[in-house]
Amino acid sequence: MLLRNGLCLLLMVLGLACGAAKSSDPAFVLDEHSVIYTSAQPGDPVYRAVLALQRDIRKILGVTIAIQPLSAADGSGLLIVNSATDGLLEPFIGWERHRVFTRTNGKLRQMVLQGSDMRGTIYAIYTFSEKCLGVPPLWYFSHWEARRRSRVVIPGSTDLRYAPPTVRYRAWFPNDTDLFEPWRKQAPEHDEMWLEAALRLKLNTIEWFDSEIDYSRPYSLSPTTRLISAYGLVNTTHHHSPLNASFRGWDDYWRLTRDTVPPRLLLRHTRQLLEFWRYNVESIARHHVNMLWVIGFRGNGDRPFWSTFEDAPASMQARGRIIDQMMQEQQRIVKEVTGDEQAVFRTIFYDELSDLLAEGLLHPPADSGFIRTYVAARRDHYPNLDVQQLDAAKNYRLGYYFNYQFTSTGSHLAAGEGPWKMEANYRYVAARSQQPLAFSVVNAGNLREFLMELSAHAKMMWDMDHYDTDAFLLEFCTQYFGAADAAAAAALYKAYYESYWQQRQPDLQGFDRQFIFQDLRYKRAIVEIAQQFHSAASNPDPLTDIAAEQVKGRTYRIVPEDNHATHQIDAIINGTSASADKFLAVSQKAQKLIGKLPKPRRLFFRDNLLQPATYMYFLNETLLQLAKGYQESQPHLKRAFAKKAEQAFQQAAAALAQTATGNFAGWYASDRIFGLKAVAQKLEGL
């Protein structure tokens, strides 16, 4: 694949871009005598990447090579050059631009890892690790094993150039972290390797889901905010945390910081609201955090503000005006505190904000520094009505938030949306403006379930013009499973995603998998049917919406007619029966393929494809047997179906348990959102 800015270097085999040199080609040789030269100092984000590079080299050469000042670069070694601070080479400008190349310095051959700025330099370091050393971005999460060598020979013609990315801010949002957060606390490296992986994938922003302020000490930041900044990543916050803190921190601010009784959350307490927001901004500014500011107005938790503020108006028009006013005040505070009139802001049009915008009742800022961040529809992830109505001629600066997982009804313990759906979403939104997307973010909190999908997002956002999901997937499978079996593995990934039950026909052109039945929908359906399993009069439509559901029928979106059925139970039987057959076929083919893979590559294939397919097969079988038993009138047959459902669910949980090894030992111990044990007990009780 040619690089975006027209490299003359063709990467024939992934990971071997820096392969053996020709005899006439003066090569750079990396061995135990090599030195890393850098001007970065301990504690700098670039220095963290330098230490990671030193570790990568140690894994391959078996020795720790020295790190010396860039000013002492008079020998053959690796030169880490940040053109924003180092004057060693000619000017090199452009947002996150980077280059990896060899050069001759007198009689010496040197390897230059150059970036136009801090993150560009970090990307150059990790590009060298990936392309020349063969260290994949997901090495820590994929059971990767280094191939030990005494030296690495890099052709003298090596010149890898990367133009600035298509999307300026490329974010990962770790949300719904019932598995991820406890895992982070198990070991210091768990707390940091996810941030290193984000940079290796060339993401540059982390969206965090809660308060970034530690109110127990004056103007103090949370540990996660400090860590994100220490890695050189941009900070941004979630839609319920404008100006870096949700109202979950309201009481803490007044009690711990102001030593007073917290005032009630009322709209008439405008002075207290502005003071709270100003303190948050001042805390961020004092620590010089690179912040992409979120403005907006929502309630306590993930709810509309009128569910929290007792004096909120009843009309949607008045509610929209209040949100407009609050965003104006928040922009004013940031510019006053930071003195930066060019500060970049964004608002996330989520849930009620999306509805207000679609109805013309919300009027976001019109300045060029504002990013209108749209959100995929709830429950099923495709462009919502506000995006569909967006006039491209207005040329807004756009962002987009796409869910790979969803707390209540989406994918959680197994990937479901897939990279093709991700690509379709972002291309749809990008077409609604005459300029490139300014911001992208994907929600994937339990990261290991979505590693391939996270990689696809990062790849596409760097170069949207040349990204293609099929090509990416083949490249991904080549990198992690080997060239010989890459095509077969890629075909199985596609078959895996196509196996999901599509419980409703699409109604948006270009979205063939617009509606799918993700694993949390299975969990919810299993529990609901189990609760009514022994009722005297079975209801053929037993599934109900979540209590707070704002759109009738959205929780499950089962359309019986689209499943050759007349009611929910028959639709479930038809849909899960077909889906189970498809997942079983993927699982069986994956079981055959895994035996052909080199041993070091099998564990990641098992974790990322084989066992998820097996889990989804048994999850379909669970709901299928339960639905059959639900409509059965004879007690002994009803119990037999219940037993089959219970056994199928045990096997689904067992498939997941097989992946809880290595760095992910005990991964499911903190399972709360799906609740494997609780569902198992519910089925046992039948």
Side-chain angles (χ1 to χ4, degrees):
M1 178 182 290
L2 287 175
L3 295 179
R4 180 168 162 228
N5 57 342
L7 274 179
C8 61
L9 180 65
L10 184 64
L11 306 183
M12 297 300 293
V13 181
L14 188 68
L16 298 179
C18 302
K22 300 176 182 177
S23 58
S24 60
D25 185 10
F28 173 81
V29 178
L30 179 71
D31 59 22
E32 61 182 332
H33 304 294
S34 299
V35 175
I36 300 174
Y37 297 102
T38 179
S39 63
Q41 299 297 311
D44 293 349
V46 171
Y47 198 81
R48 285 179 179 269
V50 170
L51 292 177
L53 173 60
Q54 186 187 49
R55 184 189 63 223
D56 291 350
I57 294 171
R58 182 168 60 247
K59 288 179 178 293
I60 293 166
L61 299 182
V63 296
T64 300
I65 67 172
I67 299 173
Q68 294 185 10
L70 186 62
S71 57
D74 56 358
S76 179
L78 301 168
L79 276 60
I80 312 296
V81 180
N82 180 354
S83 290
T85 57
D86 302 326
L88 183 65
L89 302 173
E90 66 275 4
F92 190 62
I93 58 175
W95 178 269
E96 299 176 345
R97 186 180 170 197
H98 51 288
R99 182 184 179 194
V100 175
F101 63 100
T102 59
R103 76 162 190 167
T104 301
N105 184 12
K107 296 181 179 180
L108 299 172
R109 293 296 285 172
Q110 295 176 325
M111 196 81 211
V112 182
L113 284 52
Q114 182 183 18
S116 60
D117 49 27
M118 176 263 292
R119 273 190 305 277
T121 307
I122 292 172
Y123 295 151
I125 292 170
Y126 289 136
T127 295
F128 175 79
S129 277
E130 180 182 1
K131 303 298 184 184
C132 297
L133 301 182
V135 181
L138 300 174
W139 72 270
Y140 188 78
F141 303 94
S142 63
H143 306 280
W144 175 79
E145 296 180 10
R147 181 173 65 87
R148 185 63 62 85
R149 288 170 279 174
S150 60
R151 63 178 191 162
V152 179
V153 179
I154 300 167
S157 59
T158 297
D159 192 350
L160 306 174
R161 304 185 187 207
Y162 295 82
T166 302
V167 180
R168 191 173 185 88
Y169 298 101
R170 308 170 306 284
W172 170 15
F173 174 36
N175 190 30
D176 309 330
T177 53
D178 60 323
L179 308 183
F180 177 54
E181 278 299 300
W183 179 80
R184 281 181 64 198
K185 298 173 183 177
Q186 288 179 5
E189 63 181 16
H190 290 182
D191 195 32
E192 301 195 25
M193 280 305 187
W194 64 287
L195 296 172
E196 181 182 307
L199 288 166
R200 285 181 182 265
L201 290 172
K202 298 185 183 178
L203 297 172
N204 68 356
T205 303
I206 299 296
E207 179 173 324
W208 203 240
F209 58 86
D210 212 341
S211 177
E212 299 209 5
I213 311 301
D214 176 5
Y215 297 107
S216 65
R217 293 179 294 172
Y219 300 105
S220 182
L221 304 182
S222 71
T224 298
T225 302
R226 295 197 301 270
L227 190 62
I228 292 168
S229 296
Y231 270 84
L233 290 152
V234 179
N235 278 260
T236 194
T237 49
H238 199 34
H239 51 69
H240 60 50
S241 303
L243 299 195
N244 320 304
S246 72
F247 287 124
R248 292 173 184 171
W250 177 262
D251 286 357
D252 283 345
Y253 169 70
W254 295 104
R255 288 196 179 106
L256 302 178
T257 306
R258 291 291 309 278
D259 193 23
T260 188
V261 176
R264 292 169 62 195
L265 279 169
L266 297 170
L267 292 177
R268 64 175 178 267
H269 289 162
T270 305
R271 180 182 60 79
Q272 289 91 336
L273 283 169
L274 298 182
E275 176 185 329
F276 175 66
W277 287 330
R278 179 176 288 271
Y279 179 85
N280 295 328
V281 175
E282 288 175 346
S283 299
I284 293 292
R286 289 186 181 211
H287 291 273
H288 307 288
V289 172
N290 189 353
M291 179 63 64
L292 177 54
W293 299 98
V294 169
I295 58 175
F297 190 54
R298 303 197 74 220
N300 191 359
D302 201 355
R303 295 189 294 271
F305 81 84
W306 51 87
S307 69
T308 297
F309 289 79
E310 298 173 11
D311 56 345
S315 77
M316 296 304 287
Q317 291 88 343
R319 290 168 174 177
R321 285 195 296 270
I322 287 172
I323 296 172
D324 287 343
Q325 293 165 7
M326 294 300 184
M327 288 195 291
Q328 292 172 10
E329 290 290 347
Q330 290 166 359
Q331 274 194 309
R332 179 184 60 79
I333 290 171
V334 169
K335 291 180 178 181
E336 284 182 3
V337 171
T338 65
D340 183 6
E341 287 295 323
Q342 306 303 316
V344 181
F345 299 90
R346 71 185 187 98
T347 290
I348 304 100
F349 301 124
Y350 181 78
D351 205 8
E352 76 280 0
L353 296 186
S354 176
D355 296 337
L356 287 166
L357 189 68
E359 295 171 17
L361 302 178
L362 201 63
H363 304 88
D367 58 87
S368 60
F370 179 75
I371 302 172
R372 299 167 67 108
T373 306
Y374 291 84
V375 179
R378 296 198 71 176
R379 313 295 179 209
D380 295 277
H381 311 310
Y382 57 89
N384 207 2
L385 186 60
D386 53 355
V387 182
Q388 296 177 36
Q389 295 176 345
L390 187 59
D391 182 1
K394 293 183 178 178
N395 199 29
Y396 292 128
R397 199 176 184 199
L398 300 181
Y400 193 58
Y401 165 26
F402 180 77
N403 278 299
Y404 276 140
Q405 68 176 51
F406 198 83
T407 308
S408 49
T409 57
S411 299
H412 192 67
L413 300 182
E417 299 303 320
W420 296 271
K421 194 170 182 181
M422 179 273 300
E423 179 181 1
N425 271 266
Y426 278 99
R427 295 219 182 276
Y428 188 99
V429 177
R432 266 59 189 171
S433 178
Q434 300 170 36
Q435 56 183 310
L437 286 177
F439 176 84
S440 71
V441 60
V442 288
N443 177 344
N446 291 333
L447 74 166
R448 72 184 301 245
E449 283 74 26
F450 306 95
L451 291 168
M452 186 273 283
E453 294 172 297
L454 278 168
S455 302
H457 166 253
K459 192 80 169 180
M460 181 178 181
M461 296 309 113
W462 188 275
D463 185 2
M464 286 189 71
D465 293 342
H466 296 92
Y467 174 84
D468 173 80
T469 293
D470 289 330
F472 157 79
L473 187 57
L474 183 60
E475 182 181 296
F476 180 90
C477 291
T478 300
Q479 184 169 39
Y480 289 98
F481 310 128
D485 301 296
L492 282 178
Y493 269 109
K494 192 157 193 173
Y496 166 83
Y497 289 105
E498 291 294 338
S499 297
Y500 272 88
W501 174 25
Q502 299 180 50
Q503 78 279 20
R504 174 179 170 177
Q505 291 296 316
D507 54 29
L508 185 61
Q509 187 175 2
F511 285 81
D512 296 336
R513 297 177 69 253
Q514 183 178 352
F515 304 105
I516 63 171
F517 217 70
Q518 303 95 332
D519 69 335
L520 283 180
R521 275 181 162 145
Y522 281 87
K523 172 264 182 86
R524 187 174 291 275
I526 289 167
V527 170
E528 278 209 78
I529 293 175
Q531 288 171 340
Q532 305 171 59
F533 193 75
H534 291 296
S535 59
S538 62
N539 175 8
D541 295 297
L543 303 184
T544 58
D545 281 335
I546 293 172
E549 187 67 84
Q550 297 182 41
V551 178
K552 183 176 174 56
R554 188 170 64 178
T555 299
Y556 292 103
R557 279 195 168 115
I558 296 174
V559 177
E561 295 77 12
D562 290 348
N563 294 272
H564 308 290
T566 57
H567 50 69
Q568 287 179 348
I569 288 296
D570 275 353
I572 289 170
I573 291 172
N574 293 343
T576 57
S577 179
S579 183
D581 289 345
K582 293 175 182 177
F583 276 118
L584 178 60
V586 173
S587 178
Q588 290 172 338
K589 290 177 182 178
Q591 190 65 59
K592 292 179 181 178
L593 181 58
I594 198 171
K596 296 173 59 181
L597 299 179
K599 285 187 177 180
R601 301 177 183 269
R602 293 177 185 174
L603 290 178
F604 186 46
F605 183 80
R606 176 202 68 182
D607 292 357
N608 203 244
L609 182 57
L610 171 58
Q611 294 308 334
T614 307
Y615 161 71
M616 287 305 303
Y617 161 65
F618 284 118
L619 207 55
N620 272 277
E621 278 292 311
T622 302
L623 185 54
L624 172 61
Q625 300 303 324
L626 197 63
K628 287 181 176 180
Y630 175 80
Q631 67 177 10
E632 178 59 59
S633 59
Q634 298 186 50
H636 70 285
L637 293 178
K638 202 174 189 72
R639 286 194 297 271
F641 279 119
K643 188 62 178 177
K644 289 180 181 179
E646 177 192 347
Q647 291 171 340
F649 190 78
Q650 290 173 346
Q651 290 174 294
L656 293 176
Q658 289 189 41
T659 70
T661 59
N663 294 331
F664 293 99
W667 178 251
Y668 299 103
S670 56
D671 163 50
R672 172 182 53 81
I673 290 174
F674 193 105
L676 291 164
K677 291 181 179 178
V679 175
Q681 290 171 357
K682 179 74 70 175
L683 292 171
E684 289 168 8
L686 299 183

